[in-house]
Amino acid sequence: MLYEGGAKKVGFASLETMTGGPTGADITYLLPEAQSAISFYVPFSKDLILKYLGKEDPSIRGVHEEENLEIHRIIWKASQRVKHWLIEQGYKAMSVIPNNHYRTDIPGWQVSLPPELSLRYLAVRSGVASFGWSGNVGTKDHGTAIILGGIVTNAKLKSTDPIPESESFCDKCKICTKVCAYQMFSPTEETNISIGGYHFSYSKRINKMRCFITCGGSNGLHSSGKFSTWSPGRYDLPENDEEVTRLLSLALTSQRKRPLIKDSSSGYQPASYGGMGTVQLTCGNCQFVCVGNPKETAKRYKALINSGCIIQNEDGSLEVYPTEKAKEVFESMSIKRQHLYRKDYKRNLRNRT
Ligand code: SF4
Ligand code: SF4
């Protein structure tokens, strides 16, 4: 049923194979009687990703967002079909919402963003995908440009094994660390976890709010100043956690005053993360740059770093400019408009020290 619904790979985990993992590996949080969980993924179109990273023209952001939202719908539909079938067979089952749903019972969840069930943990333990250095999961066939789905059930299903290290798509090229505007994850330090007797590792998260600011669309400019995401934000790189916190509140406030990005897609509103408003996708660079083979990953990386920068027009539409030209256009805007996208948020902190 999942393959018919668009999945490229399916795997199974049991209560036993998910034991001993971090909080997100608990399959009983969503369904206390759960005995098993099903994992699967649906990939993005490879051609479109190259156009998205290379900012081929301003319409591509909206087309990519539509594809992204559509894959989430495909995953939900396939999960629900299996869930209903399991229920018809007399079992209990729940579909896992693939994004933006967090465990609100954990103190500080707004910062740590703990998922109700980590679809990544489920995927790596059941052999559907393996960890890349970025912390995204992927396969040799599709790299990390995939979206995961999952179902938990009290049916007892035979578990499948993790992908062996020798079969991993990740050669630790670390290109993913070079495309994150705010260096959310470390190029050298590791996170180590163990789930059901298997050991997994990926890069250490430096501060998830660094991603929240960029992937959330407040900032777009890479710390090198040479290219941007699809966001027109142009804030300087926060050097430490205090600067991240300061920038987060300032940038979110300014972002709400910007017009919504005007193209074919108007984004979505995360149901369980109050106060975020409409989310329009502008990054995902660490996920999309990785193809699963070095030559193709290098091609995507080259397309991204030569893609230029984004400037937003007053009506909300986006323009793509070469790096220096974008700087020039930005500096020619009124100070009031510039403040929607850039402010010296470090000044107050400098005055205090
Ligand atoms: S870009 Fe992909 S292959 Fe290279 S280190 Fe990152 S996750 Fe691994
Ligand atoms: S999605 Fe963008 S901002 Fe977030 S970690 Fe990846 S590259 Fe960095």
Side-chain angles (χ1 to χ4, degrees):
M1 274 186 262
L2 291 171
Y3 285 123
E4 276 173 19
K8 292 293 178 215
K9 203 168 174 194
V10 179
F12 303 90
S14 67
L15 200 52
E16 291 73 35
T17 64
M18 293 298 282
T19 52
T23 316
D26 179 6
I27 65 170
T28 65
Y29 175 74
L30 282 172
L31 183 69
E33 306 89 339
Q35 293 291 323
S36 315
I38 306 166
S39 171
F40 66 99
Y41 80 76
V42 176
F44 283 82
S45 136
K46 289 186 178 178
D47 291 347
L48 192 56
I49 291 172
L50 193 60
K51 292 179 184 173
Y52 175 78
L53 292 174
K55 300 192 191 70
E56 197 166 276
D57 72 62
S59 71
I60 299 296
R61 191 215 70 85
V63 178
H64 164 79
E65 185 171 278
E66 285 167 339
E67 186 194 26
N68 200 316
L69 297 176
E70 181 56 21
I71 294 177
H72 279 87
R73 280 191 282 269
I74 288 169
I75 284 178
W76 184 248
K77 216 169 136 187
S79 305
Q80 288 290 83
R81 188 174 166 214
V82 172
K83 178 186 103 170
H84 290 137
W85 183 82
L86 282 163
I87 290 170
E88 276 167 27
Q89 309 312 306
Y91 298 106
K92 291 189 173 179
M94 287 263 305
S95 301
V96 184
I97 295 174
N99 209 344
N100 291 117
H101 273 248
Y102 303 106
R103 282 190 60 157
T104 53
D105 60 324
I106 295 179
W109 67 270
Q110 297 91 337
V111 176
S112 58
L113 308 179
E116 294 174 328
L117 171 62
S118 167
L119 291 169
R120 292 183 310 151
Y121 297 160
L122 182 57
V124 296
R125 188 57 185 84
S126 61
V128 162
S130 57
F131 271 115
W133 179 258
S134 61
N136 296 306
V137 302
T139 64
K140 279 186 174 167
D141 288 341
H142 299 101
T144 55
I146 61 175
I147 297 183
L148 300 167
I151 300 129
V152 284
T153 174
N154 67 345
K156 288 195 173 182
L157 304 172
K158 192 170 180 302
S159 59
T160 46
D161 287 334
I163 295 173
E165 186 80 34
S166 57
E167 290 299 311
S168 169
F169 69 95
C170 179
D171 62 0
K172 299 211 169 42
C173 67
K174 311 271 178 89
I175 283 179
C176 48
T177 65
K178 297 181 186 165
V179 300
C180 181
Y182 275 177
Q183 295 166 4
M184 189 279 272
F185 51 96
S186 169
T188 51
E189 289 182 81
E190 274 186 354
T191 299
N192 290 288
I193 57 167
S194 168
I195 309 173
Y198 278 79
H199 172 81
F200 304 94
S201 66
Y202 54 96
S203 60
K204 181 185 166 191
R205 276 56 294 258
I206 293 172
N207 181 334
K208 286 185 188 171
M209 291 299 116
R210 288 179 177 270
C211 175
F212 199 96
I213 295 168
T214 295
C215 198
S218 297
N219 175 64
L221 193 62
H222 187 266
S223 54
S224 66
K226 292 187 177 142
F227 63 98
S228 78
T229 67
W230 282 88
S231 161
R234 302 177 69 84
Y235 296 96
D236 289 341
L237 176 74
E239 302 289 344
N240 51 47
D241 288 351
E242 193 183 10
E243 288 190 0
V244 168
T245 307
R246 171 84 182 118
L247 175 58
L248 181 67
S249 76
L250 180 140
L252 281 180
T253 308
S254 301
Q255 190 184 358
R256 287 194 192 104
K257 295 178 190 161
R258 294 178 198 163
L260 279 181
I261 295 173
K262 190 177 160 194
D263 54 23
S264 63
S265 182
S266 49
Y268 70 101
Q269 300 205 328
S272 80
Y273 203 78
M276 263 197 85
T278 299
V279 174
Q280 292 186 286
L281 304 176
T282 54
C283 188
N285 287 349
C286 59
Q287 178 188 14
F288 297 124
V289 80
C290 182
V291 191
N293 78 70
K295 205 171 149 201
E296 292 297 309
T297 299
K299 194 170 157 191
R300 285 194 191 167
Y301 175 60
K302 205 169 157 196
L304 174 63
I305 61 173
N306 291 312
S307 67
C309 296
I310 290 290
I311 295 288
Q312 186 171 38
N313 296 319
E314 287 190 69
D315 69 354
S317 59
L318 301 179
E319 302 277 359
V320 185
Y321 289 103
T323 310
E324 285 310 311
K325 182 69 184 166
K327 208 170 160 190
E328 217 177 275
V329 174
F330 186 78
E331 299 299 340
S332 72
M333 283 162 36
S334 69
I335 298 294
K336 194 175 165 201
R337 270 195 71 211
Q338 285 184 19
H339 280 180
L340 296 177
Y341 308 101
R342 183 186 72 189
K343 255 186 188 169
D344 181 7
Y345 68 94
K346 302 193 183 203
R347 192 172 41 196
N348 289 349
L349 295 171
R350 274 198 301 270
N351 291 346
R352 250 200 282 154
T353 48

Coordinates of all heavy atoms in Angstrom, one line a residue, residues 116-191:
E116 N 7.2 14.4 18.2 CA 6.3 13.4 18.9 C 6.9 12.0 18.7 O 6.9 11.2 19.6 CB 4.9 13.5 18.3 CG 4.3 14.8 18.7 CD 2.9 14.9 18.0 OE1 2.7 14.4 16.9 OE2 2.0 15.6 18.6
L117 N 7.4 11.7 17.5 CA 8.2 10.5 17.2 C 9.2 10.9 16.2 O 8.8 11.5 15.1 CB 7.3 9.4 16.7 CG 8.1 8.2 16.2 CD1 8.9 7.5 17.3 CD2 7.1 7.1 15.6
S118 N 10.5 10.7 16.4 CA 11.5 11.1 15.4 C 11.4 10.2 14.2 O 11.8 9.0 14.3 CB 12.9 11.1 16.1 OG 13.8 11.2 15.1
L119 N 11.0 10.7 13.1 CA 10.9 9.9 11.9 C 12.3 9.5 11.4 O 12.5 8.5 10.7 CB 10.1 10.6 10.8 CG 8.6 10.7 11.1 CD1 8.0 11.7 10.2 CD2 8.0 9.4 11.1
R120 N 13.3 10.3 11.8 CA 14.7 10.0 11.5 C 15.2 8.8 12.2 O 15.8 7.9 11.7 CB 15.7 11.2 11.8 CG 15.4 12.4 10.9 CD 16.5 13.5 11.2 NE 16.5 13.8 12.7 CZ 17.6 14.2 13.3 NH1 18.7 14.4 12.7 NH2 17.5 14.4 14.6
Y121 N 14.9 8.8 13.6 CA 15.4 7.6 14.4 C 14.7 6.4 13.8 O 15.3 5.3 13.7 CB 15.0 7.8 15.8 CG 15.7 9.0 16.5 CD1 15.2 9.5 17.7 CD2 16.9 9.5 16.0 CE1 15.8 10.6 18.4 CE2 17.5 10.6 16.7 CZ 16.9 11.1 17.8 OH 17.5 12.2 18.5
L122 N 13.4 6.5 13.6 CA 12.7 5.4 13.1 C 13.2 4.9 11.7 O 13.4 3.7 11.5 CB 11.2 5.8 12.9 CG 10.2 4.7 12.4 CD1 10.2 3.5 13.4 CD2 8.8 5.3 12.3
A123 N 13.6 5.8 10.8 CA 14.1 5.4 9.5 C 15.5 4.8 9.6 O 15.7 3.8 9.0 CB 14.2 6.7 8.6
V124 N 16.4 5.3 10.5 CA 17.7 4.7 10.5 C 17.7 3.3 11.2 O 18.4 2.4 10.8 CB 18.8 5.6 11.2 CG1 19.0 6.9 10.4 CG2 18.4 6.0 12.6
R125 N 16.8 3.2 12.2 CA 16.8 1.9 12.9 C 16.1 0.8 12.1 O 16.4 -0.3 12.3 CB 16.1 2.1 14.3 CG 16.2 0.9 15.2 CD 17.6 0.5 15.5 NE 17.8 -0.8 16.2 CZ 17.7 -2.0 15.7 NH1 17.5 -2.1 14.4 NH2 17.9 -3.1 16.4
S126 N 15.2 1.2 11.3 CA 14.5 0.2 10.5 C 15.1 0.0 9.1 O 14.6 -0.7 8.3 CB 13.0 0.6 10.3 OG 12.9 1.9 9.7
G127 N 16.2 0.7 8.8 CA 17.0 0.5 7.6 C 16.3 1.2 6.3 O 16.7 0.8 5.2
V128 N 15.5 2.1 6.6 CA 14.9 2.9 5.4 C 15.9 3.9 4.9 O 15.9 4.1 3.7 CB 13.5 3.5 5.9 CG1 13.1 4.6 4.9 CG2 12.5 2.4 5.9
A129 N 16.7 4.5 5.8 CA 17.7 5.5 5.4 C 18.8 5.4 6.4 O 18.6 4.7 7.4 CB 17.0 6.8 5.3
S130 N 19.9 6.1 6.2 CA 20.9 6.2 7.2 C 21.3 7.7 7.4 O 20.9 8.5 6.6 CB 22.2 5.4 6.8 OG 22.7 5.8 5.6
F131 N 22.0 8.0 8.5 CA 22.3 9.4 8.8 C 23.4 9.9 7.9 O 24.4 9.2 7.6 CB 22.8 9.5 10.3 CG 21.8 9.7 11.3 CD1 21.5 8.8 12.3 CD2 21.1 10.9 11.3 CE1 20.5 9.0 13.2 CE2 20.1 11.2 12.2 CZ 19.8 10.2 13.2
G132 N 23.2 11.1 7.4 CA 24.3 11.8 6.8 C 25.0 12.7 7.9 O 24.4 12.9 8.9
W133 N 26.1 13.3 7.6 CA 26.8 14.2 8.5 C 25.9 15.3 9.0 O 25.9 15.7 10.1 CB 28.1 14.7 8.0 CG 28.8 15.6 8.9 CD1 28.8 17.0 8.9 CD2 29.5 15.3 10.1 NE1 29.4 17.5 10.0 CE2 29.9 16.4 10.8 CE3 29.8 14.0 10.7 CZ2 30.6 16.4 11.9 CZ3 30.5 14.0 11.9 CH2 30.9 15.2 12.5
S134 N 25.1 15.8 8.0 CA 24.2 16.9 8.3 C 23.2 16.6 9.4 O 22.6 17.5 10.0 CB 23.4 17.4 7.1 OG 22.6 16.3 6.6
G135 N 22.9 15.3 9.6 CA 21.8 15.0 10.6 C 20.6 14.6 9.8 O 19.6 14.1 10.3
N136 N 20.5 15.0 8.5 CA 19.4 14.6 7.7 C 19.7 13.1 7.3 O 20.9 12.7 7.4 CB 19.4 15.4 6.4 CG 19.1 16.9 6.6 OD1 18.1 17.2 7.2 ND2 20.0 17.7 6.1
V137 N 18.7 12.4 7.0 CA 18.9 11.0 6.6 C 18.6 10.8 5.1 O 17.9 11.6 4.5 CB 18.0 10.0 7.5 CG1 18.2 10.2 8.9 CG2 16.5 10.3 7.1
G138 N 19.3 9.8 4.6 CA 19.1 9.6 3.1 C 19.6 8.2 2.7 O 19.9 7.4 3.5
T139 N 19.6 8.1 1.4 CA 20.0 6.8 0.7 C 20.9 7.1 -0.5 O 20.9 8.3 -1.0 CB 18.8 6.1 0.2 OG1 18.1 6.8 -0.8 CG2 17.8 5.8 1.3
K140 N 21.6 6.1 -1.0 CA 22.4 6.3 -2.2 C 21.5 6.7 -3.4 O 22.0 7.4 -4.3 CB 23.1 5.0 -2.5 CG 24.4 4.8 -1.6 CD 25.2 3.6 -2.1 CE 26.5 3.6 -1.3 NZ 27.2 2.3 -1.4
D141 N 20.3 6.2 -3.4 CA 19.4 6.6 -4.6 C 19.0 8.0 -4.6 O 18.8 8.6 -5.7 CB 18.2 5.7 -4.6 CG 18.5 4.2 -5.0 OD1 19.6 4.0 -5.6 OD2 17.7 3.3 -4.6
H142 N 18.7 8.6 -3.5 CA 18.1 9.9 -3.4 C 18.8 10.9 -2.5 O 18.3 12.0 -2.4 CB 16.6 9.7 -3.0 CG 15.8 8.9 -3.9 ND1 15.5 7.6 -3.6 CD2 15.2 9.2 -5.1 CE1 14.8 7.1 -4.6 NE2 14.6 8.0 -5.5
G143 N 19.9 10.6 -2.0 CA 20.6 11.5 -1.1 C 19.7 11.8 0.1 O 18.9 10.9 0.5
T144 N 19.7 13.1 0.6 CA 18.9 13.4 1.7 C 17.6 14.2 1.3 O 16.9 14.7 2.1 CB 19.6 14.2 2.7 OG1 20.2 15.4 2.1 CG2 20.7 13.4 3.4
A145 N 17.4 14.3 -0.1 CA 16.2 15.0 -0.5 C 15.0 14.1 -0.5 O 14.5 13.8 -1.6 CB 16.5 15.6 -1.9
I146 N 14.6 13.8 0.7 CA 13.5 12.9 0.9 C 12.6 13.4 2.0 O 13.1 14.2 2.9 CB 13.9 11.4 1.2 CG1 14.7 11.4 2.5 CG2 14.8 10.9 0.1 CD1 15.1 10.0 3.0
I147 N 11.4 13.0 2.1 CA 10.6 13.3 3.3 C 10.1 11.9 3.8 O 9.7 11.0 3.1 CB 9.4 14.2 3.0 CG1 9.9 15.5 2.5 CG2 8.5 14.4 4.2 CD1 8.9 16.6 2.2
L148 N 10.2 11.8 5.2 CA 9.8 10.6 5.8 C 8.4 10.5 6.3 O 7.8 11.6 6.6 CB 10.7 10.4 7.1 CG 12.3 10.3 6.8 CD1 13.0 10.5 8.1 CD2 12.6 9.1 6.1
G149 N 7.9 9.3 6.3 CA 6.5 9.1 6.9 C 6.6 8.0 7.9 O 7.6 7.2 8.0
G150 N 5.6 7.8 8.7 CA 5.6 6.8 9.7 C 4.2 6.5 10.3 O 3.3 7.3 10.2
I151 N 4.0 5.2 10.7 CA 2.8 4.8 11.3 C 3.2 4.0 12.6 O 4.1 3.2 12.5 CB 2.0 3.9 10.4 CG1 1.6 4.6 9.1 CG2 0.7 3.3 11.0 CD1 2.0 3.9 7.8
V152 N 2.4 4.2 13.7 CA 2.7 3.3 14.9 C 1.4 2.4 15.1 O 0.3 2.9 14.8 CB 3.0 4.1 16.2 CG1 4.4 4.7 16.2 CG2 2.0 5.3 16.4
T153 N 1.7 1.2 15.5 CA 0.5 0.3 15.7 C 0.8 -0.7 16.8 O 2.0 -0.9 17.2 CB 0.3 -0.5 14.4 OG1 -0.7 -1.5 14.5 CG2 1.6 -1.2 13.8
N154 N -0.3 -1.3 17.3 CA -0.1 -2.3 18.3 C 0.0 -3.7 17.7 O 0.2 -4.7 18.3 CB -1.2 -2.3 19.4 CG -2.5 -2.7 18.8 OD1 -2.7 -2.7 17.6 ND2 -3.5 -3.0 19.7
A155 N 0.0 -3.8 16.3 CA 0.3 -5.0 15.6 C 1.8 -5.4 15.8 O 2.6 -4.5 15.8 CB -0.1 -4.9 14.1
K156 N 2.1 -6.6 15.9 CA 3.5 -7.0 16.1 C 4.0 -7.3 14.7 O 3.7 -8.4 14.1 CB 3.6 -8.2 17.0 CG 3.3 -7.9 18.5 CD 3.7 -9.0 19.4 CE 3.6 -8.5 20.9 NZ 4.0 -9.4 21.8
L157 N 4.9 -6.5 14.2 CA 5.5 -6.6 12.9 C 6.9 -7.0 13.0 O 7.6 -6.6 13.9 CB 5.3 -5.3 12.1 CG 3.8 -4.8 12.0 CD1 3.8 -3.4 11.4 CD2 3.0 -5.7 11.2
K158 N 7.4 -7.7 12.0 CA 8.8 -8.2 12.0 C 9.7 -7.1 11.7 O 9.6 -6.4 10.6 CB 9.0 -9.4 11.0 CG 10.3 -10.1 11.1 CD 10.2 -11.4 10.3 CE 11.5 -12.2 10.3 NZ 12.7 -11.5 9.9
S159 N 10.7 -6.8 12.6 CA 11.6 -5.6 12.3 C 12.6 -5.8 11.2 O 13.0 -7.0 11.0 CB 12.3 -5.2 13.6 OG 13.0 -6.3 14.1
T160 N 13.1 -4.7 10.7 CA 14.1 -4.8 9.6 C 15.4 -4.1 10.2 O 15.3 -3.3 11.1 CB 13.6 -4.1 8.3 OG1 13.0 -2.9 8.7 CG2 12.6 -4.9 7.6
D161 N 16.5 -4.5 9.7 CA 17.8 -4.0 10.2 C 18.3 -2.7 9.6 O 17.9 -2.4 8.5 CB 18.9 -5.1 10.0 CG 18.7 -6.3 10.9 OD1 18.1 -6.1 12.0 OD2 19.2 -7.4 10.5
P162 N 19.1 -2.0 10.4 CA 19.7 -0.7 9.8 C 20.6 -1.0 8.6 O 21.1 -2.1 8.4 CB 20.6 -0.2 11.0 CG 20.0 -0.8 12.2 CD 19.5 -2.2 11.8
I163 N 20.7 0.1 7.8 CA 21.6 0.0 6.6 C 23.1 -0.2 7.1 O 23.5 0.6 8.0 CB 21.5 1.2 5.7 CG1 20.1 1.3 5.1 CG2 22.5 1.3 4.6 CD1 19.8 2.6 4.3
P164 N 23.9 -1.1 6.6 CA 25.2 -1.2 7.1 C 26.0 0.0 6.8 O 25.8 0.6 5.8 CB 25.8 -2.5 6.4 CG 24.7 -3.1 5.7 CD 23.5 -2.1 5.6
E165 N 27.0 0.3 7.7 CA 27.9 1.5 7.5 C 28.5 1.5 6.1 O 28.6 2.5 5.4 CB 29.0 1.4 8.5 CG 29.9 2.6 8.6 CD 29.3 3.8 9.4 OE1 28.6 3.5 10.3 OE2 29.6 4.9 9.0
S166 N 28.9 0.3 5.6 CA 29.5 0.2 4.2 C 28.6 0.6 3.1 O 29.0 0.9 2.0 CB 30.0 -1.2 4.0 OG 28.9 -2.1 4.2
E167 N 27.3 0.6 3.4 CA 26.3 1.0 2.4 C 25.8 2.4 2.5 O 24.9 2.8 1.8 CB 25.1 0.0 2.5 CG 25.4 -1.4 2.0 CD 25.8 -1.5 0.6 OE1 25.1 -0.9 -0.3 OE2 26.8 -2.1 0.3
S168 N 26.4 3.2 3.4 CA 25.9 4.5 3.7 C 26.2 5.4 2.4 O 27.2 5.3 1.8 CB 26.7 5.1 4.9 OG 26.4 6.5 4.9
F169 N 25.3 6.4 2.2 CA 25.4 7.3 1.1 C 26.4 8.4 1.5 O 26.9 9.1 0.6 CB 24.1 8.0 0.8 CG 23.6 8.9 1.9 CD1 23.9 10.3 1.8 CD2 23.0 8.4 3.0 CE1 23.5 11.1 2.8 CE2 22.6 9.3 4.0 CZ 22.9 10.6 3.9
C170 N 26.7 8.6 2.8 CA 27.5 9.7 3.2 C 29.0 9.4 3.3 O 29.4 8.5 4.0 CB 27.0 10.2 4.6 SG 27.9 11.6 5.3
D171 N 29.7 10.2 2.5 CA 31.2 10.0 2.4 C 31.9 11.1 3.3 O 33.1 11.3 3.2 CB 31.7 10.0 1.0 CG 31.5 11.4 0.3 OD1 30.9 12.3 1.0 OD2 31.8 11.6 -0.8
K172 N 31.1 11.8 4.1 CA 31.6 12.9 5.0 C 32.4 14.0 4.2 O 33.4 14.5 4.6 CB 32.5 12.3 6.1 CG 31.7 11.3 7.0 CD 32.2 11.3 8.4 CE 31.3 10.6 9.4 NZ 30.8 9.3 9.0
C173 N 31.9 14.3 3.1 CA 32.5 15.4 2.3 C 32.3 16.7 3.0 O 33.0 17.7 2.7 CB 31.8 15.4 0.9 SG 30.1 15.9 0.9
K174 N 31.3 16.8 3.9 CA 31.0 18.0 4.7 C 30.5 19.2 3.9 O 30.5 20.3 4.4 CB 32.2 18.4 5.6 CG 32.8 17.3 6.4 CD 32.2 17.1 7.7 CE 32.7 15.9 8.5 NZ 33.8 16.2 9.3
I175 N 30.1 19.0 2.6 CA 29.6 20.1 1.8 C 28.3 20.7 2.5 O 28.1 21.9 2.5 CB 29.3 19.6 0.4 CG1 30.6 19.5 -0.4 CG2 28.3 20.5 -0.3 CD1 30.5 19.1 -1.8
C176 N 27.6 19.8 3.2 CA 26.4 20.3 3.9 C 26.7 21.3 4.9 O 25.9 22.2 5.2 CB 25.6 19.1 4.5 SG 26.7 18.0 5.5
T177 N 27.9 21.3 5.5 CA 28.2 22.3 6.5 C 28.6 23.6 5.9 O 28.5 24.7 6.6 CB 29.5 21.9 7.4 OG1 30.6 21.8 6.5 CG2 29.3 20.5 8.0
K178 N 28.9 23.6 4.6 CA 29.3 24.9 4.0 C 28.1 25.6 3.4 O 28.2 26.8 3.0 CB 30.2 24.5 2.8 CG 31.5 23.9 3.2 CD 32.4 23.7 2.0 CE 33.7 22.9 2.4 NZ 34.3 22.3 1.3
V179 N 26.9 25.0 3.4 CA 25.8 25.7 2.7 C 24.8 26.2 3.8 O 23.8 26.9 3.4 CB 25.0 24.7 1.8 CG1 26.0 24.2 0.7 CG2 24.4 23.5 2.5
C180 N 25.1 26.0 5.0 CA 24.2 26.5 6.1 C 24.6 27.9 6.4 O 25.7 28.1 6.9 CB 24.2 25.6 7.3 SG 23.1 26.2 8.6
A181 N 23.7 28.9 6.2 CA 24.0 30.3 6.3 C 24.6 30.6 7.7 O 25.4 31.5 7.9 CB 22.8 31.1 6.0
Y182 N 24.0 30.0 8.7 CA 24.3 30.3 10.1 C 25.0 29.2 10.9 O 25.0 29.2 12.1 CB 23.1 30.7 10.9 CG 22.7 32.2 10.7 CD1 21.5 32.7 11.3 CD2 23.5 33.0 10.0 CE1 21.2 34.0 11.2 CE2 23.2 34.4 9.8 CZ 22.0 34.8 10.4 OH 21.7 36.2 10.3
Q183 N 25.6 28.2 10.2 CA 26.3 27.1 10.8 C 25.5 26.5 12.0 O 26.0 26.5 13.1 CB 27.7 27.6 11.3 CG 28.5 28.0 10.1 CD 29.8 28.8 10.6 OE1 30.0 29.0 11.8 NE2 30.5 29.3 9.6
M184 N 24.4 25.9 11.7 CA 23.6 25.3 12.7 C 24.3 24.1 13.3 O 24.1 23.7 14.4 CB 22.2 25.0 12.2 CG 21.2 24.6 13.3 SD 21.3 22.9 13.8 CE 20.2 22.1 12.6
F185 N 25.0 23.3 12.4 CA 25.6 22.1 12.9 C 27.1 22.1 12.7 O 27.6 22.8 11.8 CB 25.0 20.9 12.3 CG 24.9 20.9 10.8 CD1 25.8 20.3 10.0 CD2 23.8 21.5 10.2 CE1 25.7 20.3 8.6 CE2 23.7 21.6 8.8 CZ 24.6 20.9 8.0
S186 N 27.8 21.4 13.5 CA 29.3 21.4 13.6 C 30.0 20.7 12.4 O 29.5 19.6 12.0 CB 29.8 20.8 14.9 OG 31.2 20.7 14.9
P187 N 31.1 21.3 11.9 CA 31.8 20.5 10.9 C 32.7 19.5 11.4 O 33.2 18.6 10.7 CB 32.7 21.6 10.2 CG 32.7 22.8 11.1 CD 31.6 22.6 12.1
T188 N 32.9 19.5 12.8 CA 33.9 18.5 13.3 C 33.3 17.7 14.5 O 33.7 16.5 14.6 CB 35.1 19.3 13.9 OG1 34.6 20.3 14.8 CG2 36.0 19.9 12.8
E189 N 32.4 18.3 15.3 CA 32.0 17.5 16.5 C 30.8 16.7 16.2 O 29.9 17.1 15.4 CB 31.6 18.5 17.6 CG 32.9 19.2 18.2 CD 32.5 20.1 19.3 OE1 32.3 19.6 20.5 OE2 32.4 21.3 19.1
E190 N 30.7 15.5 16.9 CA 29.7 14.5 16.6 C 28.6 14.5 17.7 O 28.9 14.7 18.8 CB 30.3 13.2 16.5 CG 30.8 12.8 15.1 CD 31.3 11.3 15.1 OE1 31.3 10.6 16.1 OE2 31.7 10.9 14.0
T191 N 27.4 14.0 17.3 CA 26.4 13.6 18.2 C 26.3 12.1 18.1 O 26.3 11.5 16.9 CB 25.0 14.1 17.7 OG1 25.0 15.5 17.8 CG2 23.9 13.6 18.7

